[in-house]
């Protein structure tokens, strides 16, 4: 049987496959996120002034807007990519929402903060922990996403793995944002993407082999 015929045959059974795969993915991501949350609370925990920052600091809330604007589209894409009949088309552009928000945040930060403070806000106080913590907190969600994708039939294993890596990093970055005291968009733009890029590359490498069918 040709590959196209196999894809069409799998797609024809969409009614019996779509919901189980979507449910498997949701459950897997939920479990992975809970494991990551447990590790986060046991090691780092939320910053002491979390409630105050959440109610008074736009910069603090903006970090979550950026991380979730990557995590949510990545989840929706992974759900589609788990199926053999999913057409990527222009939907990968959903992942551009986070960078676009971040660029806007950077522009506002540069306009509202004196130039002498730019470097200090960009370097921050937790750059090393940021680069290390986000990938480490991504591991449980990443393993869960790969498991769920393996239960499906991704037509493009490399892309599916890469987007799965972005999803796991989005979950981890959201958790880490509640601990990190560096709220400047300049800091977020410089250090947070390290974890996203690392997990996307790792996902593409593993996905190209592990998710192949």
């Amino acid at each position: 049987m040709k590959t196209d015929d196999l894809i069409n045959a799998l797609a024809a059974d969409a009614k019996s496959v779509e919901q189980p795969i979507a449910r498997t993915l949701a459950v897997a991501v939920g479990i992975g996120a809970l494991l990551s949350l447990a590790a986060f609370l046991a090691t780092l925990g939320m910053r002491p002034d979390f409630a105050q920052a959440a109610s008074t600091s736009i910069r603090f809330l903006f970090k979550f807007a950026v991380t979730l604007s990557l995590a949510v589209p990545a989840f929706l894409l992974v759900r589609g990519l788990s199926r053999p009949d999913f057409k990527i088309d222009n939907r990968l552009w959903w992942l551009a929402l986070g960078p676009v928000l971040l660029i806007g945040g950077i522009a506002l930060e540069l306009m509202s903060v004196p130039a002498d403070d730019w470097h200090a806000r960009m370097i921050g106080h937790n750059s090393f922990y940021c680069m290390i913590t986000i990938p480490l907190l991504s591991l449980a969600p990443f393993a869960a996403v790969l498991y769920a994708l393996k239960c499906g039939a991704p037509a493009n294993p490399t892309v599916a793995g890469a987007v799965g890596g972005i999803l796991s990093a989005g979950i981890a970055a959201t958790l880490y944002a509640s601990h990190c005291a560096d709220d400047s968009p300049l800091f977020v733009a410089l250090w947070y993407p390290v974890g996203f890029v690392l997990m996307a590359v790792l996902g593409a490498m593993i996905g190209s082999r592990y998710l192949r069918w």
Side-chain angles (χ1 to χ4, degrees):
M1 179 181 292
K2 295 181 179 179
T3 301
D4 290 343
D5 294 333
L6 177 59
I7 292 176
N8 291 333
L10 290 171
D13 198 31
K15 291 184 179 180
S16 64
V17 174
E18 182 175 0
Q19 292 306 316
I21 293 301
R23 185 162 54 246
T24 298
L25 179 64
V27 171
V29 171
I31 292 174
L34 287 175
L35 290 174
S36 186
L37 174 62
F40 169 75
L41 293 176
T43 56
L44 297 175
M46 296 181 180
R47 51 194 274 184
D49 64 339
F50 179 89
Q52 180 181 358
S55 60
T56 61
S57 175
I58 295 178
R59 289 181 177 87
F60 178 73
L61 296 177
F62 181 74
K63 293 190 298 185
F64 296 97
V66 172
T67 59
L68 290 174
S69 67
L70 282 164
V72 173
F75 174 78
L76 297 176
L77 282 169
V78 165
R79 188 172 62 179
L81 287 165
S82 66
R83 298 183 50 78
D85 58 335
F86 182 75
K87 303 298 183 182
I88 297 177
D89 300 326
N90 294 323
R91 277 175 277 196
L92 279 180
W93 284 105
W94 293 351
L95 296 175
L97 177 60
V100 168
L101 284 177
L102 192 52
I103 291 172
I106 291 171
L108 291 175
E109 184 80 338
L110 294 179
M111 288 188 292
S112 61
V113 174
D116 292 342
D117 294 339
W118 291 354
H119 184 265
R121 287 175 177 259
M122 181 172 60
I123 300 302
H125 302 90
N126 300 284
S127 56
F128 175 77
Y129 292 104
C130 180
M131 290 189 295
I132 298 298
T133 302
I134 291 178
L136 288 178
L137 289 177
S138 299
L139 294 180
F142 182 60
V145 170
L146 287 180
Y147 166 79
L149 286 171
K150 188 66 173 179
C151 293
N156 194 320
T158 301
V159 174
V163 177
I166 293 173
L167 170 57
S168 66
I171 294 171
T174 300
L175 292 174
Y176 180 72
S178 68
H179 169 81
C180 181
D182 293 301
D183 297 337
S184 173
L186 298 176
F187 180 90
V188 175
L190 181 61
W191 303 110
Y192 278 54
V194 173
F196 281 91
V197 172
L198 178 61
M199 296 308 300
V201 172
L202 184 62
M205 292 174 59
I206 296 178
S208 64
R209 295 177 177 270
Y210 178 68
L211 301 178
R212 186 182 302 168
W213 50 276

